[in-house]
Amino acid sequence: MRQTDYYPAHAYKETGAARVGRIRRQTAGRMRELRQRWRDEGRPDPATLDRAIADAVRDALLATVVDGRTASAIPVKEILLRISGQLVARSRRDADAGRDVVVYDRKAVAEAVHRRLLQAPRARHAVTEIAVSQSRSNGEVEDLVFEDID
């Protein structure tokens, strides 16, 4: 049970809205510092990495389309290389626009991609699971099977 005889002094000074504002400012400051630390390490932030992954997958899919259908399998190695290419292209666009440029570290990018794509999701209640059949020796994925998880 909570003690009723003592409350911290700041509890009397801020309203609910002021508390929410303070927490948002503190969180924004922490995230700003975290993103700066990632930039200093040469590691992409999660949103930038997700955009690079989506762009790389889209480019790889579009490269195989002939007459509105995919004509061949998509090599996984090509997608991984395209992710790095997307990050480099993003840095070049930032440099051309006069914004701060992030120089990505190869190992940091590889670790971030591995963490994002190859580790199991933390949530137990995932909606779908992707079961990939055995890959050929050249790294192409033959089959994707989508199954509901209960």
Side-chain angles (χ1 to χ4, degrees):
M1 184 154 162
R2 205 158 118 176
Q3 293 179 347
T4 57
D5 58 340
Y6 171 75
Y7 290 103
H10 64 68
Y12 298 111
K13 293 181 180 178
E14 66 181 2
T15 62
R19 181 177 182 274
V20 170
R22 177 180 52 82
I23 292 171
R24 284 185 180 160
R25 285 190 304 278
Q26 289 172 341
T27 303
R30 278 195 308 273
M31 289 306 296
R32 195 172 22 260
E33 292 169 2
L34 182 61
R35 284 190 294 270
Q36 182 60 46
R37 190 170 57 224
W38 287 341
R39 279 191 292 271
D40 294 343
E41 293 173 0
R43 177 180 164 195
D45 66 287
T48 302
L49 183 62
D50 284 347
R51 285 191 294 270
I53 291 169
D55 292 343
V57 170
R58 183 189 60 239
D59 291 348
L61 285 172
L62 290 176
T64 63
V65 172
V66 175
D67 296 329
R69 293 181 174 204
T70 55
S72 64
I74 301 166
V76 175
K77 184 177 181 180
E78 183 180 335
I79 291 175
L80 294 175
L81 291 173
R82 285 179 187 255
I83 291 170
S84 298
Q86 290 291 334
L87 290 170
V88 170
R90 189 174 301 274
S91 288
R92 287 186 181 146
R93 284 193 304 268
D94 287 345
D96 292 343
R99 292 188 290 260
D100 290 337
V101 177
V102 178
V103 179
Y104 293 109
D105 178 51
R106 179 178 291 180
K107 288 182 182 181
V109 170
E111 181 184 322
V113 169
H114 176 21
R115 192 176 306 128
R116 184 70 176 115
L117 294 178
L118 301 177
Q119 286 186 347
R122 288 183 290 194
R124 171 69 179 99
H125 52 82
V127 177
T128 58
E129 176 183 85
I130 300 174
V132 180
S133 71
Q134 293 209 347
S135 299
R136 295 187 211 160
S137 61
N138 64 0
E140 293 180 348
V141 176
E142 295 176 21
D143 245 344
L144 289 179
V145 179
F146 295 93
E147 299 173 352
D148 288 335
I149 297 175
D150 292 325

